[in-house]
Amino acid sequence: MAEVRQIQVTFDCADPKKVALFWCEVLGYVVPPPPPGFDSWDAFEQTLPPGQHGSVFACVDPHGVGPRLFFQRVPEGKVVKNRVHLDVRVGTGLVGAERLAALEAECARLIPLGATRFELLEADGVNESCLVMQDIEGNEFCLD
């Protein structure tokens, strides 16, 4: 069996660059360098057919640990809950009030970036608390 070495998480969205830059802020990711021979992504994009301008964007973990995030423009809007979502691990190892405080602090940081608070799922004896959020296009993610 082949060994998986890397994964990429792909988001369908209306505005790839806007959503990618949101996730850069959330995760501390960066925009990768443009392809060889181009001094910027804008210069590279000018070589594409006009209908493809703004159709894709990506961001990467500057330390090379986390997956690459890829954003692609699609014509349809989001209709139902995501089947796959990201968990942003801000409360790892914390429990009770200390965990809730960490989740709330991160929520407060993300709302000015365009995130929306959706639902607090409180600890139930099996699972610790997590906070369901939405990104700038309504895609769910959890502060965990």
Side-chain angles (χ1 to χ4, degrees):
M1 182 187 316
E3 186 177 317
V4 176
R5 300 196 192 294
Q6 295 181 347
I7 67 165
Q8 170 175 284
V9 179
T10 300
F11 290 71
D12 290 350
C13 55
D15 188 339
K17 184 175 183 178
K18 182 177 178 183
V19 180
L21 294 177
F22 168 83
W23 282 103
C24 282
E25 290 293 323
V26 172
L27 300 175
Y29 272 37
V30 297
V31 176
F38 295 93
D39 63 352
S40 71
W41 281 104
D42 288 337
F44 171 75
E45 190 168 88
Q46 295 308 310
T47 68
L48 302 175
Q52 291 183 5
H53 291 191
S55 65
V56 298
F57 211 83
C59 59
V60 297
D61 178 350
H63 306 290
V65 177
R68 179 178 191 250
L69 302 182
F70 184 76
F71 303 85
Q72 60 188 10
R73 184 174 56 216
V74 296
E76 68 277 358
K78 183 178 176 299
V79 178
V80 297
K81 183 181 181 297
N82 303 12
R83 295 286 305 262
V84 174
H85 67 268
L86 299 182
D87 285 346
V88 179
R89 309 295 308 274
V90 298
T92 303
L94 303 176
V95 296
E98 191 176 19
R99 182 180 180 88
L100 286 172
L103 300 177
E104 294 294 350
E106 185 66 0
C107 176
R109 182 182 81 83
L110 300 180
I111 287 176
L113 300 175
T116 304
R117 180 190 181 104
F118 185 71
E119 178 181 15
L120 175 64
L121 302 174
E122 296 192 41
D124 60 11
V126 176
N127 298 301
E128 284 298 330
S129 298
C130 73
L131 184 53
V132 182
M133 305 280 294
Q134 293 176 326
D135 74 10
I136 57 176
E137 287 198 2
N139 298 301
E140 294 88 3
F141 67 96
C142 292
L143 299 179
D144 179 37

